[in-house]
Amino acid sequence: MGVILFGAFIVLILIGLPIAVAIGLSGTIVLMLRGFPLMLVPQRMFASIDTFALVAVPFFILAGDIFAKGQISKRLVDFVDSLLGFIKGGLSIVVVVGAMFFAGISGSAAADTAAIGAALLPEMKRKGYKTDYSAALIATAGTIGVVIPPSVPMIIYAMLADQSVAKLFIGGFVPGILMGAALIAFAIYIAYKYNYPRGAGFDLKRVKETFFSSFFALLTPFIILGGIFSGVFTPSEAAAIAVDYALIIALFFYREISVKDLYEIFAKSAMTTALVLLIISTSGIFSWVLASERLPQIIAGKLLSLTNSKFLILLIIDFLIIAAGTFMETASALVILTPVFLPVVEALHINLVHFGLIMVTGLAIGMVTPPVAICLYVASSIANISLERISRAVLPMVALLIVILLLITYVPELVLLLPKLVK
């Protein structure tokens, strides 16, 4: 039945069915072969999304879309540029740091890539940066959007593994900062190699101007995350507050969107939310079949019988996570892999918050590895270059991110330090 389940899923994907349909239909095929009533299908679909934690998903998506539409990312970028633009290749450093700032607002890698790309790619072209390198750097920096909190994939994992969203959020800072530091180091190396220019000199007056211009945007992550970690509100409540705050500053303070724009923003967010929740709901069928057939326990037993080396098993898991992220959308990979791997990591006594951060970071890397590379598609569209060109340019950056993934995999103290301190 395991072969039928995974075989049907792969075949349905290959013939071009949407991934949500492929997940649900492969599980339904096994239910029919086992003689279970088909009433289980809508029942499991509803049960899988009937959880309060998922309320945060549409709100964080909507808040990110409001910030992106309101040109708030441009203000953040201007502030970062005033601080770091004077360094050689400063504009490429601004890309990474700007993406890290915006990650604390959007919770989405695609939104991060689109916002930073629209704000900085034209300027990078004007200053002589190679287009394929610029687009690849923007796409890779965009992946930090799901690692630094708030993060939609972390919310999904927390629901699947019954873990604390707040602990995952605070644990995400160290991997996100490490990813950013690695990309900044690479950007500086490339700047000296190709003699990319410095920006305007450091000007304290400009720093003050851009700081006050972006002040309300800079407050956003402190309001969202500060409220969660201080216990003032839950992650789901924080997501709703993020939407309220985004609407207030975009409509009344910055006045960069109008009431007429809200329909388009809400419609876009609704479509994204529907896609994510449809995948989660159909995965309820898939997960129920996995559990009823005891497939996770069987896979765990087989994997542990191959070797008793924790080092090798974690290496295999890292490889499978990146491979899944390469061929599947992040939410789909999470809902399929999480129940499969949980028995293995529990048998190895791996902290489930630590494993969640490994999963999210590994799948983030998949966002810049074709064929399913959402950040590459967004960046190549903005830069108006082929996927082949940007794919070649992104390879060294992907290698750096894999090194960071291995680092957080084998040094759990790095990512668990902050959650333990908060506890």
Side-chain angles (χ1 to χ4, degrees):
M1 284 300 164
V3 172
I4 293 171
L5 179 68
F6 287 102
F9 172 70
I10 292 168
V11 169
L12 292 170
I13 289 292
L14 291 176
I15 63 176
L17 284 182
I19 195 153
V21 177
I23 291 171
L25 195 53
S26 56
T28 304
I29 290 169
V30 175
L31 289 179
M32 293 172 67
L33 291 174
R34 282 295 195 193
F36 287 108
L38 289 182
M39 181 59 70
L40 269 171
V41 174
Q43 183 189 72
R44 297 316 308 168
M45 287 181 70
F46 179 78
S48 64
I49 56 173
D50 185 22
T51 172
F52 186 68
L54 285 180
V55 172
V57 173
F59 284 121
F60 275 131
I61 290 171
L62 178 56
D65 285 343
I66 293 169
F67 279 121
K69 181 72 174 178
Q71 296 296 308
I72 292 167
S73 58
K74 180 70 169 63
R75 294 175 183 271
L76 289 172
V77 164
D78 287 344
F79 173 59
V80 176
D81 186 43
S82 70
L83 290 173
L84 303 171
F86 69 93
I87 302 170
K88 190 168 183 64
L91 208 53
S92 54
I93 299 170
V94 172
V95 165
V96 181
V97 178
M100 293 168 72
F101 267 109
F102 199 72
I105 295 173
S106 71
S108 163
D112 209 349
T113 305
I116 299 302
L120 281 173
L121 193 57
E123 185 67 10
M124 292 182 82
K125 284 183 177 180
R126 192 180 70 79
K127 291 194 173 180
Y129 287 78
K130 290 183 178 179
T131 305
D132 51 354
Y133 162 73
S134 302
L137 182 65
I138 288 167
T140 313
T143 63
I144 302 173
V146 296
V147 181
I148 289 179
S151 165
V152 171
M154 285 183 189
I155 295 168
I156 296 171
Y157 173 83
M159 178 203 70
L160 295 167
D162 193 25
Q163 294 299 302
S164 162
V165 174
K167 285 182 181 179
L168 285 161
F169 274 11
I170 198 163
F173 280 109
V174 171
I177 290 169
L178 288 173
M179 291 167 73
L183 292 175
I184 288 170
F186 180 75
I188 292 172
Y189 163 74
I190 292 294
Y192 277 94
K193 182 177 179 180
Y194 293 102
N195 197 30
Y196 287 143
R198 300 175 189 270
F202 184 82
D203 183 352
L204 190 58
K205 182 181 177 183
R206 182 171 174 244
V207 171
K208 288 180 181 178
E209 288 175 354
T210 55
F211 172 76
F212 286 114
S213 172
S214 60
F215 178 73
F216 292 109
L218 290 169
L219 271 183
T220 309
F222 293 99
I223 292 171
I224 297 171
L225 303 174
I228 294 172
F229 300 144
S230 65
V232 175
F233 38 72
T234 67
S236 298
E237 292 164 348
I241 288 167
V243 172
D244 293 337
Y245 184 72
L247 283 171
I248 289 168
I249 66 172
L251 283 170
F252 303 113
F253 285 93
Y254 294 146
R255 298 182 180 180
E256 288 171 334
I257 64 171
S258 65
V259 175
K260 292 180 180 178
D261 296 321
L262 293 181
Y263 174 80
E264 180 188 342
I265 295 169
F266 288 174
K268 182 176 181 293
S269 300
M271 289 176 67
T272 306
T273 301
L275 175 63
V276 172
L277 293 186
L278 180 61
I279 290 170
I280 295 172
S281 66
T282 55
S283 74
I285 308 163
F286 196 95
S287 299
W288 192 89
V289 171
L290 283 175
S292 66
E293 298 291 337
R294 292 184 54 80
L295 290 176
Q297 289 78 10
I298 293 168
I299 292 169
K302 294 289 184 186
L303 191 55
L304 292 169
S305 68
L306 291 175
T307 175
N308 59 3
S309 168
K310 185 176 178 179
F311 179 91
L312 285 177
I313 291 174
L314 283 172
L315 190 63
I316 292 168
I317 288 174
D318 277 354
F319 171 77
L320 292 174
I321 290 170
I322 293 172
T326 298
F327 294 102
M328 296 171 65
E329 191 270 335
T330 303
S332 311
L334 274 171
V335 297
I336 290 174
L337 293 182
T338 301
V340 170
F341 285 148
L342 280 183
V344 180
V345 299
E346 286 173 339
L348 295 172
H349 305 292
I350 296 168
N351 184 289
L352 293 185
V353 171
H354 175 217
F355 180 67
L357 296 168
I358 292 172
M359 283 276 287
V360 171
T361 306
L363 292 173
I365 296 171
M367 294 178 179
V368 284
T369 50
V372 183
I374 181 64
C375 291
L376 284 192
Y377 285 112
V378 172
S380 64
S381 173
I382 295 170
N384 196 25
I385 60 173
S386 68
L387 192 64
E388 288 76 18
R389 277 184 65 189
I390 192 174
S391 297
R392 286 193 296 270
V394 85
L395 288 176
M397 302 177 215
V398 170
L400 283 174
L401 296 189
I402 290 173
V403 171
I404 299 301
L405 174 63
L406 293 173
L407 182 63
I408 67 169
T409 298
Y410 293 115
V411 190
E413 293 79 11
L414 275 176
V415 294
L416 293 178
L417 177 63
L418 287 177
K420 285 179 180 177
L421 283 175
V422 170
K423 184 180 178 182

